[in-house]
Amino acid sequence: QGFELSEASNTPVMLMMRIRACHVVGRFRAHDNRRPPFSLQQAMDHPSRTFDRIILPPSTFAQERDKIERRWPAAEKYIREHGLNEFLAEGKADIGIVLQGGLYNTVLRALERLGLADAFGESGIPLYVLNVTYPLLGDEFVRFANGKRAILIIEEGQPEFIEQAASLFLRKADLQTRIIGKGPLPMAGEYTGAVVLAGLRQFLGEHGYLPGQARPLVPATRLVLGASVKPLVPNVPIRPSGLCTGCPERPLFASMKLVARELGPMQVSADIGCHSFATLPPFDIGGTIMGYGLGAASGATFNIPNKRRALSMMGDGGFWHNGLTSGIGNAVFNRHDGITIIVDNGYSAATGGQYIPSSNAEVKNRHARNRIETAVRGVGVEWVRTVHTYDMGRVTSVLKEALQSPFMGPKIIIAEGECQLNRQRRIAPRIRKMLGQGRRVVRQRFGVDADVCTGDHSCIRLSGCPSLTVKTHPDPLRRDPVAHVDNSCVGCGVCGEVAHAAVLCPSFYRADVIQNPNGWDRFVQSLRMGVIRLLSGRPAPAGAGHS
């Protein structure tokens, strides 16, 4: 319908997904694709030029007139004739609710919890569902509001465009229906289930439509009127967004924290991407975020003589998007004596792991493996260092060098490390295949020796990995909980590397988990267990075998 509306009105049509819709997983049967009436090949074979579509005067004046006289009315006609907006439960009450289409499920669930709708979608309150929020149809608003005392407009975001338009439509039609919107519902923020429930309870209560206040609105066989409203979920602790388990950016930011401990706090201009999460605990790195690939452009503000150089962040996706020109090229042109860290994880990771020009992969119909270092040197950068984020010793050394170097001009640090989430997606099928073939597979896991751990938890404060948590000490005489690595560990080694780089403690250990072991693996395991039993002074248990 969106494509058809676009064709009918010669206007781009956007489908706006709400947060909850984006979290839904399911399957549906689609219609077969339709071949377009005019293909790209036809366009290449028969190039044409339409003067009235050129976006320069005098065409722009005619385009504006065409929009008002033809395209807008055509869009309204299509919406009206095809019933894109929905009228539900008309005539069941002298109040009503106008809502954006994306909020339909949230509103129905809130009404159900209030005893005014059922699980099948039958509402006891009239609903006008705006599946198209632009353009709005004044005659449909008048139709819905006619004969009603009040209508509630559930419109996420601000300003309250729909509420303002509804007021205009009804006043022009001389309807005295009261319009309520922001008031029971907040001006800003996400309209979660709890928010909508509270707003509906206030609106319905004021107009006598809560169960027990007034007449039943839907047959009692389908509704549980007056049912008590219970919390859907218990209160949970607030958890800030963070990097994935094993993320290669985690050791980079841990290194920056260690350098800041030694050399003092740093001014860091952050950027859009996974690395944005470094502005949150436990790293707390980055004072500004201006836009995708604009970290270095934002950092250009600090192009002043100073003993302490400013840093800026940029992802590889943002670098290719606009950072090469707006950030790096301008830094060269303006002789900016700052430091830019380009986080190269091999993908546009924050948006789903799409390939980019520097992805180290064979991408069908694309030319990838374009080196970032070659690009920055191509626009005139002279000081460039490439490091691997998991090598924290090297990373901290290069950071210190950049901050203290006598070289004047832009300094670029390319921090490489493949996105762990995409890496797991890449290697998981291969590991499953090897296991299915009975081949030897070795996986690394890290752990914490509870007898050695002091409970200081500096490792957690510097790493923040989701797999790194705490547990009760096995020794009942020691009250402090110890660090613990749970089974979600992917064996990246960041926690142990952080502990080593920070000179914390030797409590971390690495274990190699071997599946489908060969004869040598079994022999070594037997030898190790024999030595352990010898040193512990305990005899071998009867019937002991190998795993």
Side-chain angles (χ1 to χ4, degrees):
Q1 292 283 15
F3 282 114
E4 295 289 352
L5 175 58
S6 176
E7 289 296 306
S9 61
N10 298 113
T11 305
V13 172
M14 307 297 176
L15 176 64
M16 184 176 185
M17 304 296 290
R18 310 310 302 153
I19 292 176
R20 276 159 183 73
C22 295
H23 289 174
V24 171
V25 176
R27 294 178 179 271
F28 62 92
R29 186 175 297 278
H31 294 290
D32 293 336
N33 289 336
R34 287 185 292 170
R35 185 177 297 276
F38 188 71
S39 68
L40 291 176
Q41 187 60 53
Q42 289 174 294
M44 291 293 293
D45 294 340
H46 306 285
S48 64
R49 176 178 180 274
T50 306
F51 179 75
D52 59 7
R53 293 198 175 189
I54 300 297
I55 54 168
L56 290 172
S59 297
T60 49
F61 305 129
Q63 291 164 10
E64 183 67 16
R65 185 168 58 250
D66 183 56
K67 173 185 176 182
I68 300 303
E69 296 177 355
R70 184 185 65 84
R71 291 168 51 213
W72 192 313
E76 292 181 327
K77 179 181 178 182
Y78 186 91
I79 295 167
R80 186 179 298 110
E81 291 182 350
H82 290 80
L84 298 190
N85 298 325
E86 300 172 86
F87 293 85
L88 305 175
E90 286 192 276
K92 288 196 173 182
D94 62 355
I95 62 172
I97 300 172
V98 179
L99 62 142
Q100 294 163 306
L103 293 172
Y104 172 79
N105 287 329
T106 304
V107 172
L108 258 291
R109 176 59 176 144
L111 288 173
E112 181 188 357
R113 296 183 66 202
L114 291 170
L116 294 170
D118 62 18
F120 302 95
E122 183 176 349
S123 173
I125 301 294
L127 304 177
Y128 176 35
V129 184
L130 294 172
N131 295 315
V132 182
T133 56
Y134 180 87
L136 297 171
L137 306 187
D139 57 330
E140 289 193 352
F141 273 87
V142 171
R143 166 189 163 183
F144 182 73
N146 192 27
K148 292 183 175 61
R149 290 185 290 139
I151 58 174
L152 174 68
I153 297 181
I154 303 180
E155 174 185 6
E156 195 171 54
Q158 57 85 29
E160 60 280 62
F161 293 111
I162 299 175
E163 187 177 342
Q164 294 176 18
S167 299
L168 178 64
F169 295 148
L170 300 195
R171 295 295 82 79
K172 283 187 172 181
D174 198 26
L175 282 181
Q176 302 307 312
T177 304
R178 184 184 177 197
I179 295 176
I180 301 171
K182 307 300 183 182
L185 295 163
M187 180 67 77
E190 182 188 355
Y191 279 13
T192 62
V195 169
V196 172
L197 180 63
L200 281 174
R201 182 185 285 116
Q202 180 178 336
F203 170 75
L204 296 169
E206 289 176 355
H207 293 85
Y209 272 90
L210 284 180
Q213 281 187 311
R215 49 210 168 283
L217 305 176
V218 180
T221 55
R222 298 289 295 276
L223 293 177
V224 183
L225 296 179
S228 61
V229 178
K230 299 179 181 179
L232 293 177
V233 294
N235 291 329
V236 295
I238 296 175
R239 182 184 68 179
S241 303
L243 302 169
C244 299
T245 301
C247 176
E249 299 178 20
R250 199 179 300 279
L252 168 64
F253 298 120
S255 298
M256 294 176 69
K257 287 193 70 172
L258 293 174
V259 171
R261 284 183 179 182
E262 183 177 343
L263 301 182
M266 300 176 290
Q267 168 61 43
V268 179
S269 300
D271 201 273
I272 293 293
C274 295
H275 44 280
S276 302
F277 295 138
T279 59
L280 302 175
F283 303 112
D284 301 307
I285 291 174
T288 59
I289 297 180
M290 188 164 73
Y292 190 43
L294 296 178
S298 176
T301 307
F302 301 97
N303 191 16
I304 57 174
N306 199 292
K307 294 181 180 179
R308 184 170 296 157
R309 291 179 170 122
L311 284 85
S312 59
M313 304 297 304
M314 187 188 303
D316 46 358
F319 171 82
W320 292 114
H321 178 66
N322 64 33
L324 176 60
T325 53
S326 67
I328 309 303
N330 279 338
V332 174
F333 182 71
N334 293 311
R335 303 180 65 85
H336 182 202
D337 186 37
I339 304 164
T340 299
I341 301 174
I342 302 174
V343 182
D344 180 11
N345 59 29
Y347 308 85
S348 182
T351 57
Q354 294 84 1
Y355 290 119
I356 54 177
S358 54
S359 293
N360 187 27
E362 289 290 344
V363 186
K364 186 178 180 180
N365 299 326
R366 299 289 190 273
H367 178 70
R369 296 178 176 173
N370 299 285
R371 300 186 67 226
I372 293 177
E373 181 172 345
T374 302
V376 298
R377 290 192 184 276
V379 296
V381 178
E382 300 177 24
W383 195 103
V384 184
R385 301 289 186 272
T386 300
V387 297
H388 199 287
T389 60
Y390 289 120
D391 187 354
M392 290 185 60
R394 170 69 174 158
V395 173
T396 53
S397 175
V398 169
L399 280 170
K400 292 178 183 177
E401 179 188 358
L403 289 165
Q404 300 173 333
S405 171
F407 177 83
M408 301 297 291
K411 286 160 280 293
I412 307 298
I413 300 175
I414 303 171
E416 296 180 337
E418 184 182 9
C419 168
Q420 189 65 235
L421 189 61
N422 284 284
R423 179 178 181 272
Q424 294 301 319
R425 290 171 178 163
R426 179 173 58 82
I427 67 174
R430 188 174 66 198
I431 292 176
R432 284 196 300 268
K433 182 178 179 180
M434 293 174 64
L435 291 173
Q437 295 172 344
R439 296 167 60 185
R440 179 177 182 268
V441 174
V442 181
R443 301 182 185 182
Q444 292 184 347
R445 290 290 186 272
F446 283 77
V448 176
D449 188 335
D451 291 332
V452 179
C453 178
T454 63
D456 176 72
H457 304 152
S458 293
C459 52
I460 296 176
R461 292 193 295 272
L462 279 170
S463 170
C465 180
S467 67
L468 191 58
T469 180
V470 294
K471 71 173 184 179
T472 304
H473 200 288
D475 186 347
L477 298 180
R478 295 180 60 177
R479 297 182 178 179
D480 292 336
V482 293
H484 171 67
V485 180
D486 66 26
N487 201 41
S488 65
C489 172
V490 296
C492 70
V494 170
C495 50
E497 184 71 18
V498 167
H500 175 74
V503 196
L504 295 173
C505 68
S507 61
F508 283 91
Y509 65 84
R510 192 191 80 186
D512 291 341
V513 181
I514 303 175
Q515 294 173 277
N516 299 328
N518 56 29
W520 174 254
D521 295 323
R522 296 180 185 277
F523 170 75
V524 172
Q525 171 73 357
S526 177
L527 183 62
R528 286 172 174 165
M529 294 304 297
V531 172
I532 291 173
R533 285 192 294 270
L534 180 64
L535 294 176
S536 64
R538 290 180 292 181
H546 302 291
S547 60

